[in-house]
Amino acid sequence: MSKRKKNRKEKSKLRIWAEYIPFRIFLEIVRLIPTKVAYALSSFIFRMMFLFFDRKHSKRSVEHLMHAGVASTKEEAVEIARRAYHNFSMLLVEIFKMDQIIDLDSVTITGSESAIKEACIHGGDNINLIIVTAHYGNWELAGSAWAHNFGIPMVSIMRKFGNPLIGECILKSRQSDIHQCVYKEGGIKGLLKALRGGKTIAILADQHASTREGGIETKFFGHPCRTHTSPAILHLKTGIPILPLVTRRKPNGNGFEFVVSDLIKYEPTGDKQA
């Protein structure tokens, strides 16, 4: 990437502060008011964004839902996109009030019984894992809650925020004594070191990976995309199993749960591309 192109993508100091100040004010308000009021306030703000102030992304969301065949009509796509914005509004409140409203001990685990038995035994010899998760439910909770419940420190990978001041606020809510983050740029070495040190790692794997990033062509909702190969590469290098997982709100709205699938384990064949 040329220096000129790189500089075009960088935000000016004025824009950084113009975004950060209202963000910080909202953060402080949310931390002061009751949770139900915070949810309602955040939901209203995100609804206004969906309808009026973030038309670029709301329109794109509707187009993608139609293109992927998730929604059969535009009205259905609009409703799904609206609910997605509502989920983001709840997520933001939960990030800001993480230490106030979320009891890490109350997070339960469900899904594959074999995965739970093999890798997730409370009080037993829990093993370190390569957790592959997605932007679903409350993904921000996954790192700290998993490490807290299973007694194995975690390292997760993240992209740098476009606004470094906002990124610093979010990073503080993510990290703890048992959960550390490494940036995506050069992060593969940090993840490999963590695995060999007996730690669990977590990778959000549902984002597009460019050819430069080592993405491999796959399909998503029946359409071509490029998927990150880092979970597979790390698994083949270390032999540590991959655990597919999402963190979602319980149906009754009372807390959160991990939903896990069967462990993924492959023996190296000597054909790296395969």
Side-chain angles (χ1 to χ4, degrees):
M1 180 184 295
S2 68
K3 186 175 181 181
R4 172 188 275 182
K5 187 174 181 181
K6 182 178 180 181
N7 289 337
R8 278 206 306 266
K9 291 188 175 183
E10 292 178 353
K11 294 182 178 180
S12 67
K13 289 185 178 180
L14 179 62
R15 184 177 176 185
I16 288 172
W17 282 98
E19 293 175 347
Y20 174 70
I21 290 173
F23 173 87
R24 186 74 194 198
I25 292 172
F26 181 62
L27 183 155
E28 297 299 336
I29 291 172
V30 166
R31 287 191 59 80
L32 287 172
I33 61 180
T35 302
K36 287 186 178 180
V37 178
Y39 276 140
L41 174 61
S42 186
S43 178
F44 172 77
I45 292 172
F46 272 76
R47 192 180 307 121
M48 293 301 101
M49 289 173 60
F50 179 72
L51 293 173
F52 305 112
F53 304 119
D54 192 29
R55 293 297 299 160
K56 175 184 175 182
H57 292 102
S58 60
K59 181 180 178 182
R60 185 182 297 171
S61 298
V62 172
E63 291 173 347
H64 285 182
L65 288 163
M66 294 288 291
H67 181 66
V70 175
S72 56
T73 65
K74 184 175 180 180
E75 291 73 21
E76 185 181 0
V78 168
E79 175 59 20
I80 294 172
R82 185 196 63 77
R83 296 203 320 258
Y85 267 69
H86 178 67
N87 180 71
F88 276 114
S89 77
M90 297 179 69
L91 173 67
L92 192 61
V93 171
E94 290 158 3
I95 291 172
F96 291 167
K97 296 174 79 72
M98 187 84 74
D99 59 324
Q100 297 177 356
I101 66 175
I102 295 177
D103 178 9
L104 296 181
D105 289 316
S106 69
V107 181
T108 57
I109 184 168
T110 186
S112 167
E113 293 184 2
S114 63
I116 294 171
K117 182 177 180 181
E118 188 172 353
C120 318
I121 305 171
H122 285 284
D125 295 328
N126 300 317
I127 62 174
N128 64 323
L129 299 161
I130 299 168
I131 292 178
V132 173
T133 187
H135 291 88
Y136 177 93
N138 187 328
W139 61 89
E140 293 289 346
L141 175 64
S144 294
W146 186 273
H148 176 84
N149 277 272
F150 299 103
I152 298 178
M154 177 176 283
V155 175
S156 59
I157 195 164
M158 61 177 284
R159 292 188 178 189
K160 289 184 178 180
F161 281 74
N163 187 309
L165 297 179
I166 293 177
E168 186 178 345
C169 286
I170 300 297
L171 186 60
K172 285 181 180 178
S173 72
R174 284 176 172 169
Q175 294 197 129
S176 66
D177 292 340
I178 55 174
H179 177 216
Q180 300 298 312
C181 297
V182 296
Y183 285 118
K184 178 184 169 190
E185 294 77 9
I188 195 77
K189 292 181 179 179
L191 295 179
L192 185 59
K193 181 179 178 181
L195 288 172
R196 288 173 172 167
K199 297 178 180 179
T200 285
I201 67 168
I203 299 173
L204 283 158
D206 60 339
Q207 292 178 309
H208 176 73
S210 65
T211 305
R212 179 178 56 83
E213 295 172 320
I216 190 168
E217 188 168 315
T218 54
K219 286 188 176 181
F220 187 64
F221 287 107
H223 295 277
C225 69
R226 300 196 73 86
T227 298
H228 289 281
T229 58
S230 48
I233 291 171
L234 289 167
H235 169 58
L236 293 173
K237 281 183 175 291
T238 64
I240 294 171
I242 296 173
L243 178 68
L245 170 154
V246 293
T247 310
R248 70 181 181 190
R249 297 178 186 87
K250 292 180 181 178
N252 58 8
N254 184 25
F256 299 86
E257 63 183 355
F258 294 121
V259 184
V260 302
S261 295
D262 293 342
L263 290 175
I264 298 173
K265 293 183 287 185
Y266 279 90
E267 291 294 330
T269 61
D271 185 342
K272 182 180 178 182
Q273 184 62 22

